[in-house]
Amino acid sequence: MSELNNITLKILENGKGILAADESTGTMTKRLDGVNVPSTPENRLLFRETLFSSSSMTECIGGVILYDETIKQKSSKKNKIPELISEMGSAPGIKVDTGAKVLAGSPDEKITEGLDGLRERLKEYYKLGAKFTKWRGVYNITKSFPSKLSITSNAHALARYAALVQESNMVPIIEPEVLMDGNHTAEECYKKTSEVIERCFEELILHKVDLKGIILKPNMILAGNKSKSKISNEEVAKLTLKCLKSSVPSEVPGVAFLSGGQSELEATENLNLINKYNDTNFIMSYSYGRALQQSALKFWSKDIQDIKGTQKIFNHRAKMNSLAAQGKWSKDLEI
Ligand code: 13P
Protein backbone atom coordinates (compact mmCIF):
# COMPACT_ATOMS: atom_id res chain seq x y z
CA MET A 1 0.00 0.00 0.00
CA SER A 2 1.41 3.43 -0.88
CA GLU A 3 2.21 5.95 1.82
CA LEU A 4 -0.40 8.36 0.41
CA ASN A 5 -3.08 5.67 0.36
CA ASN A 6 -2.25 4.95 3.99
CA ILE A 7 -2.75 8.60 4.97
CA THR A 8 -6.10 8.68 3.14
CA LEU A 9 -7.35 5.60 4.95
CA LYS A 10 -6.16 6.86 8.33
CA ILE A 11 -8.16 10.06 7.80
CA LEU A 12 -11.38 8.39 6.62
CA GLU A 13 -11.58 4.86 7.99
CA ASN A 14 -13.80 3.63 10.84
CA GLY A 15 -16.33 6.42 10.73
CA LYS A 16 -13.76 9.21 10.81
CA GLY A 17 -14.15 12.33 8.74
CA ILE A 18 -12.64 15.77 8.26
CA LEU A 19 -13.25 19.03 10.08
CA ALA A 20 -12.97 21.85 7.52
CA ALA A 21 -11.72 24.72 9.69
CA ASP A 22 -9.92 26.46 6.83
CA GLU A 23 -12.15 29.49 6.44
CA SER A 24 -10.08 32.38 5.11
CA THR A 25 -9.85 35.37 7.44
CA GLY A 26 -12.55 37.10 5.36
CA THR A 27 -14.97 34.18 5.66
CA MET A 28 -14.19 33.61 9.34
CA THR A 29 -14.83 37.30 9.98
CA LYS A 30 -18.28 36.91 8.39
CA ARG A 31 -19.00 33.90 10.62
CA LEU A 32 -17.84 35.74 13.77
CA ASP A 33 -19.71 38.93 12.80
CA GLY A 34 -22.81 36.73 12.54
CA VAL A 35 -22.54 35.86 16.24
CA ASN A 36 -21.21 39.25 17.40
CA VAL A 37 -17.70 38.15 18.34
CA PRO A 38 -14.85 40.46 17.20
CA SER A 39 -12.74 38.76 14.51
CA THR A 40 -9.26 39.05 16.05
CA PRO A 41 -6.44 36.50 15.52
CA GLU A 42 -6.83 35.60 19.24
CA ASN A 43 -10.57 34.91 18.98
CA ARG A 44 -10.20 32.95 15.74
CA LEU A 45 -7.56 30.83 17.47
CA LEU A 46 -9.55 30.42 20.69
CA PHE A 47 -12.59 29.01 18.88
CA ARG A 48 -10.51 26.73 16.70
CA GLU A 49 -8.30 25.52 19.56
CA THR A 50 -11.45 24.73 21.53
CA LEU A 51 -12.59 22.41 18.75
CA PHE A 52 -9.16 20.89 18.12
CA SER A 53 -8.75 19.89 21.77
CA SER A 54 -12.21 18.26 22.02
CA SER A 55 -12.36 14.59 22.95
CA SER A 56 -14.21 13.67 19.71
CA MET A 57 -11.06 14.54 17.75
CA THR A 58 -9.61 11.12 18.58
CA GLU A 59 -12.58 9.00 17.56
CA CYS A 60 -14.41 11.05 14.93
CA ILE A 61 -12.05 13.54 13.27
CA GLY A 62 -9.34 11.93 11.14
CA GLY A 63 -8.13 15.22 9.70
CA VAL A 64 -8.47 18.97 10.16
CA ILE A 65 -8.09 21.42 7.29
CA LEU A 66 -6.36 24.58 8.49
CA TYR A 67 -5.94 28.04 7.04
CA ASP A 68 -2.46 29.58 6.66
CA GLU A 69 -2.97 31.77 9.74
CA THR A 70 -3.87 28.81 11.99
CA ILE A 71 -1.14 26.39 10.92
CA LYS A 72 1.39 28.98 12.08
CA GLN A 73 -0.29 29.78 15.42
CA LYS A 74 0.50 28.31 18.83
CA SER A 75 -2.04 26.96 21.29
CA SER A 76 -2.60 28.43 24.76
CA LYS A 77 -0.21 25.73 26.03
CA LYS A 78 2.39 26.97 23.51
CA ASN A 79 2.01 23.89 21.35
CA LYS A 80 2.14 24.41 17.60
CA ILE A 81 -1.40 23.87 16.26
CA PRO A 82 -0.42 21.00 13.90
CA GLU A 83 1.22 19.29 16.91
CA LEU A 84 -1.92 19.69 19.00
CA ILE A 85 -3.97 18.08 16.21
CA SER A 86 -1.50 15.18 15.82
CA GLU A 87 -1.44 14.61 19.59
CA MET A 88 -5.23 14.28 19.51
CA GLY A 89 -4.78 11.44 17.00
CA SER A 90 -5.85 13.42 13.93
CA ALA A 91 -3.95 14.64 10.86
CA PRO A 92 -3.31 18.33 10.14
CA GLY A 93 -4.09 19.53 6.61
CA ILE A 94 -3.91 22.88 4.87
CA LYS A 95 -5.93 24.85 2.29
CA VAL A 96 -3.46 25.86 -0.41
CA ASP A 97 -5.55 27.60 -3.04
CA THR A 98 -5.63 31.37 -2.88
CA GLY A 99 -9.31 31.74 -3.68
CA ALA A 100 -11.76 31.84 -6.57
CA LYS A 101 -11.31 34.82 -8.93
CA VAL A 102 -13.25 36.11 -11.94
CA LEU A 103 -12.69 33.79 -14.91
CA ALA A 104 -11.38 35.75 -17.90
CA GLY A 105 -13.58 34.89 -20.89
CA SER A 106 -16.61 34.12 -18.69
CA PRO A 107 -16.69 36.87 -16.08
CA ASP A 108 -19.76 35.54 -14.26
CA GLU A 109 -17.88 32.37 -13.36
CA LYS A 110 -14.85 31.69 -11.18
CA ILE A 111 -11.43 30.12 -11.55
CA THR A 112 -9.46 29.11 -8.49
CA GLU A 113 -5.94 30.51 -8.27
CA GLY A 114 -2.82 29.60 -6.32
CA LEU A 115 -0.54 27.59 -8.63
CA ASP A 116 2.25 30.18 -8.77
CA GLY A 117 4.88 29.36 -6.16
CA LEU A 118 2.81 26.40 -4.95
CA ARG A 119 5.72 23.93 -4.95
CA GLU A 120 7.64 26.17 -2.51
CA ARG A 121 4.61 26.77 -0.27
CA LEU A 122 3.98 23.03 -0.12
CA LYS A 123 7.51 22.44 1.15
CA GLU A 124 6.88 24.93 3.93
CA TYR A 125 3.53 23.38 4.91
CA TYR A 126 5.03 19.89 4.88
CA LYS A 127 7.70 21.07 7.32
CA LEU A 128 4.97 22.57 9.49
CA GLY A 129 3.43 19.08 9.74
CA ALA A 130 0.72 19.04 7.04
CA LYS A 131 -0.22 15.57 5.82
CA PHE A 132 -2.85 16.62 3.31
CA THR A 133 -4.09 19.68 1.44
CA LYS A 134 -7.23 21.18 -0.04
CA TRP A 135 -8.05 23.08 -3.25
CA ARG A 136 -11.62 24.10 -4.04
CA GLY A 137 -12.98 24.78 -7.51
CA VAL A 138 -16.40 26.40 -7.58
CA TYR A 139 -19.16 26.17 -10.18
CA ASN A 140 -22.55 27.86 -10.53
CA ILE A 141 -25.56 26.24 -12.13
CA THR A 142 -27.64 28.33 -14.54
CA LYS A 143 -29.06 27.54 -18.01
CA SER A 144 -25.60 28.06 -19.54
CA PHE A 145 -23.28 27.45 -16.57
CA PRO A 146 -21.02 25.86 -15.69
CA SER A 147 -19.53 26.61 -19.10
CA LYS A 148 -17.09 24.29 -20.87
CA LEU A 149 -14.45 26.93 -20.14
CA SER A 150 -15.02 26.88 -16.39
CA ILE A 151 -15.23 23.07 -16.28
CA THR A 152 -12.01 22.70 -18.29
CA SER A 153 -9.93 25.40 -16.60
CA ASN A 154 -10.88 24.41 -13.03
CA ALA A 155 -10.22 20.72 -13.75
CA HIS A 156 -6.83 21.64 -15.18
CA ALA A 157 -5.94 23.71 -12.11
CA LEU A 158 -7.12 20.98 -9.73
CA ALA A 159 -4.99 18.40 -11.53
CA ARG A 160 -1.85 20.57 -11.59
CA TYR A 161 -2.36 21.23 -7.88
CA ALA A 162 -2.87 17.53 -7.09
CA ALA A 163 0.26 16.47 -8.97
CA LEU A 164 2.38 19.01 -7.07
CA VAL A 165 0.90 17.94 -3.72
CA GLN A 166 1.65 14.26 -4.31
CA GLU A 167 5.19 15.21 -5.40
CA SER A 168 5.49 16.76 -1.91
CA ASN A 169 4.26 13.53 -0.27
CA MET A 170 0.90 14.85 0.87
CA VAL A 171 -2.64 13.77 -0.02
CA PRO A 172 -4.60 16.27 -2.13
CA ILE A 173 -8.29 16.81 -1.44
CA ILE A 174 -9.92 17.47 -4.80
CA GLU A 175 -12.92 19.70 -4.19
CA PRO A 176 -15.06 20.57 -7.21
CA GLU A 177 -18.05 22.27 -5.56
CA VAL A 178 -21.16 22.69 -7.65
CA LEU A 179 -23.05 25.28 -5.62
CA MET A 180 -26.60 24.76 -4.40
CA ASP A 181 -27.49 28.43 -5.07
CA GLY A 182 -30.26 28.82 -7.64
CA ASN A 183 -33.56 27.35 -8.75
CA HIS A 184 -32.23 24.37 -10.67
CA THR A 185 -33.64 20.87 -10.22
CA ALA A 186 -31.77 17.97 -8.65
CA GLU A 187 -31.66 16.37 -12.11
CA GLU A 188 -29.76 19.41 -13.42
CA CYS A 189 -27.41 19.23 -10.42
CA TYR A 190 -26.85 15.55 -11.21
CA LYS A 191 -26.00 16.26 -14.86
CA LYS A 192 -23.65 19.19 -14.16
CA THR A 193 -21.93 17.54 -11.20
CA SER A 194 -21.31 14.38 -13.25
CA GLU A 195 -19.79 16.44 -16.07
CA VAL A 196 -17.59 18.42 -13.65
CA ILE A 197 -16.31 15.33 -11.83
CA GLU A 198 -15.67 13.35 -15.03
CA ARG A 199 -13.63 16.21 -16.44
CA CYS A 200 -11.61 16.45 -13.21
CA PHE A 201 -10.66 12.78 -13.43
CA GLU A 202 -9.67 13.11 -17.10
CA GLU A 203 -7.22 15.83 -16.08
CA LEU A 204 -6.02 14.01 -12.94
CA ILE A 205 -5.18 10.95 -15.04
CA LEU A 206 -3.47 13.11 -17.70
CA HIS A 207 -1.34 14.69 -14.94
CA LYS A 208 -0.39 11.22 -13.64
CA VAL A 209 -1.97 11.72 -10.24
CA ASP A 210 -2.09 8.50 -8.17
CA LEU A 211 -5.84 8.06 -7.67
CA LYS A 212 -5.27 5.82 -4.64
CA GLY A 213 -3.72 8.77 -2.84
CA ILE A 214 -6.44 11.41 -3.17
CA ILE A 215 -9.68 12.29 -1.40
CA LEU A 216 -12.59 13.54 -3.51
CA LYS A 217 -14.67 16.23 -1.82
CA PRO A 218 -17.85 16.67 -3.84
CA ASN A 219 -21.25 18.22 -3.22
CA MET A 220 -24.26 16.00 -2.73
CA ILE A 221 -26.89 16.01 -5.47
CA LEU A 222 -29.51 18.50 -4.33
CA ALA A 223 -32.13 20.71 -5.89
CA GLY A 224 -31.13 24.40 -5.85
CA ASN A 225 -31.92 26.31 -2.66
CA LYS A 226 -34.50 28.42 -4.57
CA SER A 227 -36.00 25.48 -6.43
CA LYS A 228 -39.68 24.63 -6.01
CA SER A 229 -39.06 20.97 -6.78
CA LYS A 230 -37.24 19.71 -3.68
CA ILE A 231 -36.49 15.99 -3.46
CA SER A 232 -36.52 13.64 -0.48
CA ASN A 233 -33.39 12.72 1.50
CA GLU A 234 -33.65 9.18 0.08
CA GLU A 235 -33.57 10.61 -3.44
CA VAL A 236 -30.58 12.82 -2.55
CA ALA A 237 -28.70 9.76 -1.34
CA LYS A 238 -29.61 7.62 -4.35
CA LEU A 239 -28.81 10.31 -6.94
CA THR A 240 -25.53 11.14 -5.20
CA LEU A 241 -24.49 7.49 -5.26
CA LYS A 242 -25.55 7.10 -8.89
CA CYS A 243 -23.51 10.16 -9.85
CA LEU A 244 -20.34 9.06 -8.04
CA LYS A 245 -20.62 5.47 -9.26
CA SER A 246 -20.59 6.59 -12.85
CA SER A 247 -18.07 9.44 -12.65
CA VAL A 248 -15.40 8.37 -10.11
CA PRO A 249 -12.78 5.72 -10.99
CA SER A 250 -12.87 2.72 -8.67
CA GLU A 251 -9.25 3.20 -7.47
CA VAL A 252 -10.27 6.28 -5.47
CA PRO A 253 -10.37 5.16 -1.82
CA GLY A 254 -12.61 7.76 -0.32
CA VAL A 255 -15.13 10.52 -0.74
CA ALA A 256 -15.64 13.22 1.91
CA PHE A 257 -18.65 15.42 1.20
CA LEU A 258 -18.83 19.15 1.80
CA SER A 259 -21.97 20.39 3.53
CA GLY A 260 -22.41 23.38 1.22
CA GLY A 261 -25.10 25.25 3.14
CA GLN A 262 -27.21 22.26 4.26
CA SER A 263 -28.35 22.42 7.88
CA GLU A 264 -26.44 20.32 10.38
CA LEU A 265 -29.27 17.79 10.53
CA GLU A 266 -29.75 17.56 6.76
CA ALA A 267 -26.03 17.01 6.21
CA THR A 268 -25.98 14.21 8.79
CA GLU A 269 -29.18 12.57 7.60
CA ASN A 270 -28.14 12.61 3.93
CA LEU A 271 -24.71 11.17 4.74
CA ASN A 272 -26.34 8.43 6.80
CA LEU A 273 -28.63 7.45 3.91
CA ILE A 274 -25.73 7.52 1.44
CA ASN A 275 -23.97 5.00 3.67
CA LYS A 276 -27.08 2.88 4.10
CA TYR A 277 -27.43 2.54 0.34
CA ASN A 278 -23.71 2.53 -0.44
CA ASP A 279 -23.04 -0.37 -2.80
CA THR A 280 -19.61 0.91 -3.91
CA ASN A 281 -16.15 0.33 -2.48
CA PHE A 282 -15.70 4.04 -1.76
CA ILE A 283 -15.58 5.16 1.87
CA MET A 284 -18.30 7.82 2.10
CA SER A 285 -17.53 10.31 4.82
CA TYR A 286 -17.65 14.01 5.66
CA SER A 287 -15.45 17.06 5.32
CA TYR A 288 -17.84 19.55 6.83
CA GLY A 289 -17.25 23.16 7.74
CA ARG A 290 -20.55 24.75 8.68
CA ALA A 291 -22.36 21.48 9.40
CA LEU A 292 -19.80 20.62 12.10
CA GLN A 293 -19.28 24.07 13.57
CA GLN A 294 -22.53 26.05 13.43
CA SER A 295 -24.08 25.06 16.77
CA ALA A 296 -20.73 25.07 18.55
CA LEU A 297 -20.00 28.57 17.26
CA LYS A 298 -23.40 29.86 18.34
CA PHE A 299 -22.99 28.41 21.84
CA TRP A 300 -19.39 29.64 22.17
CA SER A 301 -20.34 33.18 21.16
CA LYS A 302 -22.49 33.54 24.32
CA ASP A 303 -19.41 32.98 26.53
CA ILE A 304 -16.13 32.54 24.70
CA GLN A 305 -14.47 31.17 27.85
CA ASP A 306 -16.93 28.27 28.13
CA ILE A 307 -14.57 25.74 26.59
CA LYS A 308 -16.19 22.61 28.07
CA GLY A 309 -19.73 23.61 27.05
CA THR A 310 -18.62 24.40 23.50
CA GLN A 311 -16.74 21.11 23.25
CA LYS A 312 -19.83 19.21 24.36
CA ILE A 313 -21.82 20.65 21.46
CA PHE A 314 -19.01 19.96 18.99
CA ASN A 315 -18.47 16.41 20.29
CA HIS A 316 -22.13 15.64 19.76
CA ARG A 317 -22.12 16.88 16.15
CA ALA A 318 -18.89 15.03 15.40
CA LYS A 319 -20.28 11.81 16.90
CA MET A 320 -23.53 12.11 14.89
CA ASN A 321 -21.60 12.52 11.66
CA SER A 322 -19.27 9.67 12.54
CA LEU A 323 -22.29 7.42 13.03
CA ALA A 324 -23.74 8.70 9.73
CA ALA A 325 -20.46 7.83 7.99
CA GLN A 326 -21.15 4.23 9.08
CA GLY A 327 -24.89 4.30 8.31
CA LYS A 328 -25.62 3.97 12.04
CA TRP A 329 -27.22 7.35 12.78
CA SER A 330 -30.86 7.82 13.69
CA LYS A 331 -32.86 10.91 14.58
CA ASP A 332 -33.57 9.78 18.14
CA LEU A 333 -29.85 10.09 18.94
CA GLU A 334 -30.08 13.86 18.47
CA ILE A 335 -30.42 16.00 21.58
P1 13P B 1 -18.98 23.52 4.16
O1 13P B 1 -19.12 22.14 4.72
O2 13P B 1 -19.40 24.59 5.11
O3 13P B 1 -19.54 23.64 2.78
O4 13P B 1 -17.41 23.76 4.02
C1 13P B 1 -16.63 22.78 3.47
C2 13P B 1 -15.50 23.39 2.75
O5 13P B 1 -14.36 23.11 3.07
C3 13P B 1 -15.77 24.31 1.64
O6 13P B 1 -14.61 24.53 0.91
Side-chain angles (χ1 to χ4, degrees), residues 3-4 7 71 94 120-133 165 167-171:
E3 191 193 331
L4 295 180
I7 297 173
I71 201 170
I94 179 76
E120 289 68 37
R121 286 194 294 125
L122 290 172
K123 282 194 185 119
E124 188 194 356
Y125 289 137
Y126 184 81
K127 273 197 201 142
L128 288 167
K131 300 278 182 265
F132 70 102
T133 65
V165 171
E167 181 192 89
S168 299
N169 295 313
M170 293 182 280
V171 168

Side-chain angles (χ1 to χ4, degrees), residues 20-23 31 65 95 134 136 175 177 217 257-261 287-292:
D22 61 321
E23 299 85 357
R31 304 261 191 274
I65 318 174
K95 185 227 299 287
K134 177 186 120 173
R136 171 176 175 258
E175 182 180 8
E177 177 174 6
K217 176 165 173 165
F257 293 97
L258 57 96
S259 60
S287 176
Y288 291 164
R290 285 161 286 180
L292 270 170

